[in-house]
Amino acid sequence: MELNDARTQHTHPHLPPPRAPFHLPTWATAPRPEAAPGIYRQHHTPHDPKAAEQAGTPAGPLLLRAALNLLAAWLVFIYGRGLALSGLGLLGLGTLSKIPTILVALTVNLLIIAGVIRVFGHMGRWREVGRRYLVPLLSHAVTEVPPAPEAAPVVDVWAELRPAGEAVRRLEGEPVGDVDYVRLHQAWRTVGSDPVAWREFAAQVAARGGAACAHPSEQRDLPGGRAGRHDLLVRQVRLGTAQDVPKNPVAHRNAGFALDPRVLGTSLLAVGPAGTGKTAALARPVAEALCLQALAGAACAVVVGASDADLGPDDWYDVVIAPGDPEAPYGLDLYGAAPHSDEAAARLADALLPDELAPRAESARAAMQQVVGPYRAAYGRYPGVRALRALLVGDAEGWAELGEQLQKSGRRSEFEADLQQRERMHGRADDPGALLADRLALLDRPALAAGFSGGPDAKPAFAMRALEHPLRVRVKLPERSHPEAARILSRLLLGQFTQAAADRRDRELFAGMVLDDATAAVDAQAVRGVQRLRGANAGVVLLLRTLSDLPESLRAPLFGAVGNRMAFPGIAPWDGRLFSEAWGTHLVRETAVTHVPDTSGGTVRRAGRLVRKALSGTTAQTESVTTRDVERHRWSPSDLAHALPSGHAVVSLTSVTGEQVPPLLVDLRH
């Protein structure tokens, strides 16, 4: 089938492509025509339907048809001219003087020539033949004096910043990269009409040149170079090439395939078995793009995956959190610095409970809120893991101290009902507090204690509320040493991200999260949170090995919550069914050929058919051809499960403005 035509020579996805020396004017002025979502715009040539139709006609049939029509035109002209002149002679043309006779004959010839050219030239496509063959031949044959080369126009790449004054001239005399260029323009746009900010910007440019308004890390590019191809001017990362196959829309065929915030803002779900390239071909390039955009002051990135997942070196990130690693410099705030204690408690309770305990989620949230709220009111901070666990199981000493602190703060009456409710539940078999304490024990381990806020040796804690700044955060989950703790943390991080990104006051920065293995993180709360991100200039990239790891009740809602869906080779047929249903059907023209015994004719023809059957053993048949439009799946479950070439993926896109792109077959290796 046509999918096999997309197989190409494999190239290693981790090796960075060779980069030409960066030339700012060339890069800044490169053509970037408007294009549909998913098309890499830099140097893209928009699809021309007429040119494609002409280019699709083979030279042999085109020239043969032109020659046959030329022969037919000549014969029609010769015989038509003779008949016309003979008819005019019968009408008395010969009785006219010589000059009128010549004029009438010339007029007849011209009319016949015009008619012949119009009819046979259209059928023979002479105009296309001339454009494709005669015009280039004549252009080579005609020798002209070549015109003097025109000087290349001088392009002022800093025109937008000229109002900042003479300080901008310093940028012309030093090397400036694409990150610097985008960052300086981003900073200038935030200045607006504020005169104080205008003077600060001009002073920074005068003092630091291309390093002005730098990221707090002072990095102006990613250490160690880039593995992907990025166009920061339109914030795109190129992942591959849409293949030239009938299943792909015509406008996308052979075009570069890219992702950008207008697409990632509707979130992306990628499904494929281990080893199919989800991390190398999708997660790492997107993480790299978000980190570059953060250095340019246009995004913030949270990248979550196993400690051994290839999501870029630690030098890419400002904050590296690795629970279980004593060398990791940062810890994690389990409450995300949420301003409301009930919100923080609910998020933590949802993260602690696995899917099989979801029926007890409501009571667990209430129990957590009855502890976290009074504790914060009494001490002015959220409880650490150990203190929270002790209060949930009903530690008498801890509750007595909490009551005294609430009394001193004058807020005991405000939380009296919560305290009494928790005291009544202590020791009961159905106490959700005991369940939460058992789950917290998975985090209350010596190797993990320093990684969370509240402990005596706690590290500086990262809080998800910091998404209003261009931060780059890498969280390394301890999937090998503490697998259940890693699942709890992945649920917690996704829940905190969706809440914090949606609650930001300043949504100028795009907030992106890459979750390398989202199997344990997806629950009903997460699905609802992902839906809210579309209007918050934020999005998540969720990678799954199979949809079967999710409860069946979550699979369809998850597909509806994300705008972009990506299937990798080797997915199971039941996973392919969900993709196939989500992508729907389209009309396909099918031709059916039917053969039936020939019963036409009289006695002679019937006798002839009988003799033929006796001699050859075959029955004469008539052929009936029927053409009709029928609905077929864009991609069937069988195609997705068995026909995808290695190194490829099928992906559908939806932008934040509602533009949709049908599923594309993309080669992720080029």
Side-chain angles (χ1 to χ4, degrees):
M1 61 184 302
E2 67 271 13
L3 297 182
N4 295 328
D5 298 335
R7 300 181 187 272
T8 54
Q9 187 70 25
H10 178 70
T11 57
H12 199 283
H14 297 288
L15 294 178
R19 297 185 65 194
F22 183 77
H23 184 243
L24 180 62
T26 302
W27 173 81
T29 59
R32 294 174 175 87
E34 291 294 329
I39 292 179
Y40 189 69
R41 291 171 52 187
Q42 188 177 133
H43 298 292
H44 170 64
T45 302
H47 172 70
D48 185 353
K50 292 184 178 179
E53 180 182 357
Q54 294 170 1
T57 305
L62 179 65
L63 294 175
L64 178 61
R65 182 184 299 172
L68 291 175
N69 278 272
L70 180 61
L71 177 62
W74 174 255
L75 294 175
V76 169
F77 171 72
I78 294 298
Y79 289 104
R81 173 177 174 274
L83 290 174
L85 293 178
S86 300
L88 291 174
L90 294 176
L91 294 176
L93 179 64
T95 62
L96 299 176
S97 61
K98 185 176 181 180
I99 293 178
T101 302
I102 294 175
L103 292 177
V104 170
L106 181 61
T107 302
V108 170
N109 287 336
L110 290 176
L111 289 175
I112 294 176
I113 290 173
V116 165
I117 291 177
R118 180 177 181 84
V119 174
F120 292 98
H122 177 72
M123 292 191 299
R125 302 174 74 170
W126 293 351
R127 181 176 298 178
E128 182 179 344
V129 171
R131 185 165 47 244
R132 290 173 62 173
Y133 301 105
L134 295 182
V135 172
L137 184 63
L138 292 175
S139 64
H140 287 297
V142 176
T143 58
E144 297 180 354
V145 178
E150 297 181 2
V154 177
V155 179
D156 185 6
V157 297
W158 302 108
E160 185 178 346
L161 272 58
R162 292 296 177 189
E166 293 297 318
V168 179
R169 290 192 175 182
R170 174 171 176 175
L171 300 173
E172 300 173 354
E174 62 179 79
V176 177
D178 54 353
V179 173
D180 300 328
Y181 184 86
V182 174
R183 186 188 67 251
L184 290 171
H185 281 77
Q186 180 81 9
W188 174 248
R189 295 184 189 109
T190 60
V191 166
S193 58
D194 186 354
V196 176
W198 181 89
R199 286 192 294 270
E200 291 179 354
F201 177 83
Q204 277 227 27
V205 173
R208 307 191 63 190
C213 308
H215 186 268
S217 67
E218 294 294 330
Q219 292 181 359
R220 299 170 63 183
D221 205 342
L222 292 180
R226 311 174 188 180
R229 182 176 171 186
H230 305 267
D231 186 5
L232 290 178
L233 200 61
V234 289
R235 302 168 67 182
Q236 287 188 318
V237 53
R238 192 181 190 278
L239 300 184
T241 304
Q243 297 298 278
D244 187 7
V245 294
K247 282 182 177 290
N248 282 353
V250 175
H252 286 76
R253 295 176 189 172
N254 289 326
F257 174 75
L259 297 177
D260 55 40
R262 69 168 174 163
V263 170
L264 293 176
T266 62
S267 298
L268 187 149
L269 172 67
V271 181
T276 54
K278 299 191 304 300
T279 300
L282 175 63
R284 181 186 168 104
V286 172
E288 183 176 279
L290 292 175
C291 289
L292 283 170
Q293 292 173 28
L295 291 179
C300 51
V302 179
V303 181
V304 182
S307 57
D308 57 351
D310 183 13
L311 296 171
D314 291 351
D315 291 342
W316 281 10
Y317 301 96
D318 307 305
V319 177
V320 177
I321 304 167
D325 182 2
E327 302 298 326
Y330 289 92
L332 176 66
D333 187 341
L334 294 180
Y335 304 94
H340 305 293
S341 57
D342 283 354
E343 171 193 319
R347 290 291 167 195
L348 181 56
D350 291 338
L352 289 172
L353 298 184
D355 296 327
E356 56 268 21
L357 297 177
R360 302 189 63 181
E362 289 297 332
S363 60
R365 290 191 200 103
M368 185 70 78
Q369 290 166 346
Q370 290 162 0
V371 173
V372 173
Y375 190 97
R376 190 185 183 206
Y379 295 96
R381 66 179 188 277
Y382 288 112
V385 174
R386 191 152 297 173
L388 179 60
R389 183 184 174 195
L391 291 173
L392 286 170
V393 296
D395 178 67
E397 183 177 345
W399 274 100
E401 183 180 344
L402 176 60
E404 292 177 4
Q405 289 293 331
L406 278 174
Q407 191 69 37
K408 291 179 182 178
S409 65
R411 302 184 64 181
R412 182 178 178 90
S413 59
E414 181 181 347
F415 296 97
E416 189 65 38
D418 287 341
L419 297 177
Q420 292 178 359
Q421 178 64 21
R422 287 304 310 139
E423 289 178 358
R424 284 195 297 268
M425 294 298 296
H426 289 161
R428 292 177 50 174
D430 59 344
D431 180 15
L435 173 62
L436 291 172
D438 290 342
R439 300 292 298 172
L440 272 173
L442 297 169
L443 303 180
D444 189 17
R445 303 295 305 156
L448 303 177
F452 306 122
S453 59
D457 302 321
K459 303 173 182 178
F462 164 75
M464 200 65 75
R465 288 286 168 178
L467 292 180
E468 294 183 353
H469 307 284
L471 277 175
R472 302 166 297 165
V473 182
R474 169 73 163 100
V475 183
K476 298 183 175 181
L477 299 177
E479 289 190 352
R480 295 184 181 274
S481 57
H482 300 83
E484 192 59 33
R487 297 185 186 100
I488 292 173
L489 292 175
S490 65
R491 283 194 295 270
L492 179 64
L493 289 165
L494 180 57
Q496 288 184 352
F497 177 86
T498 56
Q499 187 69 38
D503 290 348
R504 291 181 300 167
R505 293 186 299 273
D506 184 3
R507 296 179 176 178
E508 184 67 23
L509 297 178
F510 177 78
M513 183 181 201
V514 178
L515 193 50
D516 188 48
D517 184 2
T519 302
V522 177
D523 55 18
Q525 294 292 334
V527 171
R528 286 191 285 269
V530 169
Q531 290 174 326
R532 291 196 296 267
L533 295 179
R534 293 197 181 197
N537 195 23
V540 296
V541 177
L542 305 175
L543 278 64
L544 295 174
R545 292 187 180 91
T546 174
L547 293 168
S548 301
D549 292 339
L550 301 180
E552 189 171 357
S553 60
L554 286 179
R555 298 171 194 171
L558 178 60
F559 263 71
V562 299
N564 311 294
R565 307 172 184 96
M566 197 167 186
F568 282 78
I571 64 173
W574 42 89
D575 288 347
R577 179 179 57 82
L578 289 173
F579 279 98
S580 182
E581 292 176 355
W583 287 333
T585 60
H586 64 149
L587 290 177
V588 176
R589 176 155 293 185
E590 287 189 351
T591 301
V593 180
T594 305
H595 296 276
V596 296
D598 186 3
T599 59
S600 62
T603 305
V604 176
R605 292 191 62 183
R606 291 181 185 141
R609 287 196 293 268
L610 290 175
V611 173
R612 174 184 173 182
K613 183 176 182 181
L615 295 175
S616 65
T618 60
T619 303
Q621 294 181 331
T622 59
E623 184 178 275
S624 174
V625 179
T626 304
T627 302
R628 60 176 182 172
D629 291 335
V630 296
E631 284 195 358
R632 291 287 183 266
H633 282 290
R634 296 181 184 274
W635 283 85
S636 69
S638 178
D639 287 343
L640 293 171
H642 305 296
L644 283 187
S646 175
H648 293 64
V650 180
V651 55
S652 64
L653 303 175
T654 303
S655 72
V656 292
T657 57
E659 298 174 86
Q660 293 187 341
V661 177
L664 304 169
L665 176 65
V666 178
D667 186 349
L668 299 172
R669 302 168 299 182
H670 298 89

